[in-house]
């Protein structure tokens, strides 16, 4: 196979030019969107969701979710905003 030789900063720049986000930001975006889907089902606790999505600390996950959505995970479940 062929290999692509890119520096990490260059890869970040290329990725951001296509997505508008760094790879890390994109990963968080995908995880938050998945959390919204799981929360809408109402079958898992916030702790379970945080672990499913690879967060070691459910409190960190909750703070990040609120920062990205404006709602805590429990508020999201209760109100189901669009």
């Amino acid at each position: 196979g062929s290999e692509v030789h890119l520096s990490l900063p260059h890869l970040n720049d290329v990725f951001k030019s296509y997505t508008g986000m760094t790879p890390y930001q994109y990963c968080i975006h995908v995880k938050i969107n998945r959390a919204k889907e799981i929360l809408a089902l109402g079958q898992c606790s916030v702790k379970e969701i945080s672990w499913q999505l690879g967060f070691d600390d459910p409190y960190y996950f909750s703070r990040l979710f609120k920062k990205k959505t404006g709602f805590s995970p429990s508020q999201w479940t209760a109100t189901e905003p669009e």
Side-chain angles (χ1 to χ4, degrees), residues 28-65:
I28 294 299
H29 173 77
V30 168
K31 287 181 178 189
I32 295 297
N33 283 340
R34 181 65 184 131
K36 291 176 187 177
E37 294 171 1
I38 298 169
L39 285 164
L41 297 174
Q43 298 174 348
C44 295
S45 71
V46 172
K47 183 187 263 188
E48 290 171 325
I49 293 168
S50 69
W51 288 340
Q52 284 180 30
L53 297 175
F55 293 96
D56 293 331
D57 182 352
Y59 299 105
Y60 172 74
F61 163 72
S62 292
R63 287 190 308 271
L64 185 61
F65 187 92

Side-chain angles (χ1 to χ4, degrees), residues 63-82:
R63 287 190 308 271
L64 185 61
F65 187 92
K66 185 165 186 166
K67 180 180 177 183
K68 298 296 183 182
T69 67
F71 296 89
S72 70
S74 58
Q75 288 173 323
W76 187 271
T77 302
T79 59
E80 295 183 32
E82 295 296 318

